[in-house]
């Protein structure tokens, strides 16, 4: 009897039989939970990329005002897309700050914007259901959202740089044209008119034309135009040993004005969308120098 008691005392005590079942159940639910989390994150990324893009920001702000989530910011305070957020921690803020600080309101309004546009958020992520299929779909949506975010940021940066360059180019054209017309008017009266200010304006415009982005036909046209800008040098005081008379200087000035007006239109043409230039091909290459080209 003592041996039986000792045997029972040495036998290891068994743990509760329900623990393996609970562990198995948890492992079964893990993919579904992770898939739902990935899908939710993917939908959030889609909202950020879609509703905060330049072409949809206006719709987002209008929808938020109509739904009573925010109010319009008075005047120019906070920028063009600023809104006034009610509440103790509200105030005037940009749409980006509003989306970050009030994610619930942002998602509600963004879903309404996307639904009105026929793009319900996360529709493809909801088709796969739960389990491993849902996890795979969620992971794919998450990866797609991340790629779209990166591409959207890169596209926005490039677009912003090109918009800035376009504004600088347009301003440089107007300045060169203004200074050139003043110089030409003075040249008609006095042959020794100072040329330094015209030269500086021409150099600024030429440098910006050299930075015009592709396609290749547009780059080629811009560089050709930069090299053919008039007034690289002062207009002549004499020709063949004879001083130019006022009517001769007027003819010289008129030839430059003709070139200047044509090239002003061509600079505006350079700012047209890239697909237009893809279709044109090499149409602008090899263009002969026009009237007034002898002056630079």
């Amino acid at each position: 009897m003592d041996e039986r008691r000792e045997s029972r005392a040495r036998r290891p005590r068994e743990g509760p039989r329900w623990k393996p079942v609970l562990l198995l159940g948890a492992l079964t639910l893990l993919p579904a939970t992770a898939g739902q989390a990935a899908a939710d994150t993917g939908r959030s990324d889609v909202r950020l990329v879609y509703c905060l893009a330049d072409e949809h920001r206006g719709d987002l702000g209008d929808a938020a005002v109509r739904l009573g989530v925010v109010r319009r910011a008075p005047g120019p305070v906070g920028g063009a897309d600023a809104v006034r957020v009610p509440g103790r921690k509200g105030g005037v803020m940009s749409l980006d700050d509003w989306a970050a600080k009030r994610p619930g309101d942002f998602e509600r309004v963004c879903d309404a914007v996307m639904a009105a546009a026929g793009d319900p958020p996360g529709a493809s992520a909801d088709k796969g259901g739960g389990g491993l299929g849902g996890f795979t779909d969620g992971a794919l949506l998450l990866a797609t959202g991340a790629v779209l975010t990166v591409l959207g940021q890169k596209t926005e940066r490039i677009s912003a740089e090109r918009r800035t360059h376009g504004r600088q180019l347009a301003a440089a054209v107007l300045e060169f044209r203004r200074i050139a017309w003043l110089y030409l008017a003075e040249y008609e009266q006095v042959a020794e008119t100072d040329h330094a200010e015209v030269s500086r304006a021409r150099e600024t415009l030429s440098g910006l034309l050299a930075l015009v982005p592709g396609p290749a036909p547009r780059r080629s046209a811009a560089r050709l135009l930069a090299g053919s800008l008039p007034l690289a040098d002062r207009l002549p005081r004499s020709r063949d040993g004879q001083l130019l008379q006022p009517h001769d200087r007027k003819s010289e000035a008129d030839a430059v004005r003709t070139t200047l007006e044509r090239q002003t239109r061509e600079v505006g043409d350079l700012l047209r969308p890239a697909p237009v230039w893809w279709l044109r091909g090499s149409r602008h290459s090899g263009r002969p120098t026009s009237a007034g080209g002898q002056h630079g």
Side-chain angles (χ1 to χ4, degrees):
M1 181 178 296
D2 292 338
E3 291 179 356
R4 286 196 298 272
R5 289 177 180 174
E6 183 178 359
S7 175
R8 285 195 299 270
R10 292 177 180 177
R11 183 180 301 170
R13 187 175 181 179
E14 296 181 359
R17 296 177 180 272
W18 49 266
K19 285 187 177 181
V21 177
L22 181 60
L23 179 60
L24 180 60
L27 291 175
T28 303
L29 292 175
L30 180 60
T33 305
Q36 183 62 40
D40 291 342
T41 302
R43 283 192 290 270
S44 297
D45 289 341
V46 171
R47 291 187 186 100
L48 289 173
V49 172
Y50 185 92
C51 287
L52 292 179
D54 281 351
E55 60 268 29
H56 300 137
R57 293 175 79 91
D59 295 337
L60 179 67
D62 291 343
V65 171
R66 290 193 183 97
L67 293 176
V69 177
V70 301
R71 294 190 293 272
R72 298 191 185 279
V77 178
D81 64 348
V83 294
R84 180 177 292 278
V85 181
R88 185 170 59 86
K89 296 183 179 181
V92 176
M93 59 183 71
S94 68
L95 290 177
D96 300 88
D97 290 339
W98 170 64
K101 295 178 181 179
R102 301 291 176 91
D105 290 343
F106 166 73
E107 290 178 2
R108 172 193 168 196
V109 176
C110 183
D111 287 350
V113 171
M114 297 178 73
D119 299 315
S124 60
D126 293 334
K127 294 180 181 178
L132 292 176
F135 175 72
T136 302
D137 292 344
L140 179 60
L141 181 58
L142 177 60
T144 303
V147 171
L148 288 175
T149 299
V150 173
L151 290 178
Q153 292 172 348
K154 183 176 181 180
T155 300
E156 173 58 25
R157 178 179 58 81
I158 294 174
S159 297
E161 291 174 353
R162 291 188 175 182
R163 286 194 297 269
T164 299
H165 180 264
R167 289 192 293 269
Q168 293 173 341
L169 185 59
V173 170
L174 292 177
E175 182 67 3
F176 176 60
R177 185 177 182 276
R178 181 185 69 83
I179 294 175
W181 274 79
L182 290 175
Y183 170 79
L184 293 172
E186 293 179 9
Y187 169 77
E188 291 180 4
Q189 303 300 321
V190 180
E192 295 294 339
T193 301
D194 183 35
H195 179 263
E197 193 173 358
V198 181
S199 180
R200 285 191 294 270
R202 184 185 186 278
E203 183 178 352
T204 298
L205 177 56
S206 179
L208 288 170
L209 286 170
L211 297 178
V212 168
R218 177 162 62 186
R219 284 199 305 269
S220 176
R223 284 149 182 75
L224 183 64
L225 185 58
S228 65
L229 290 174
L231 299 175
D233 301 305
R234 66 171 65 245
L235 293 182
R237 178 173 177 271
S238 62
R239 180 172 292 117
D240 299 329
Q242 298 293 325
L243 291 176
L244 295 180
Q245 299 302 311
H247 69 275
D248 296 321
R249 294 199 298 272
K250 185 178 186 308
S251 297
E252 293 283 333
D254 285 342
V256 175
R257 289 189 184 100
T258 300
T259 301
L260 192 61
E261 291 304 306
R262 176 184 58 78
Q263 292 183 337
T264 298
R265 292 191 297 271
E266 290 185 359
V267 172
D269 203 32
L270 292 173
L271 301 178
R272 300 183 69 183
V276 174
W277 287 91
W278 288 332
L279 294 175
R280 288 187 179 187
S282 59
R283 174 179 169 185
H284 283 254
S285 63
R287 172 176 293 167
T289 303
S290 59
Q294 67 270 25
H295 305 306

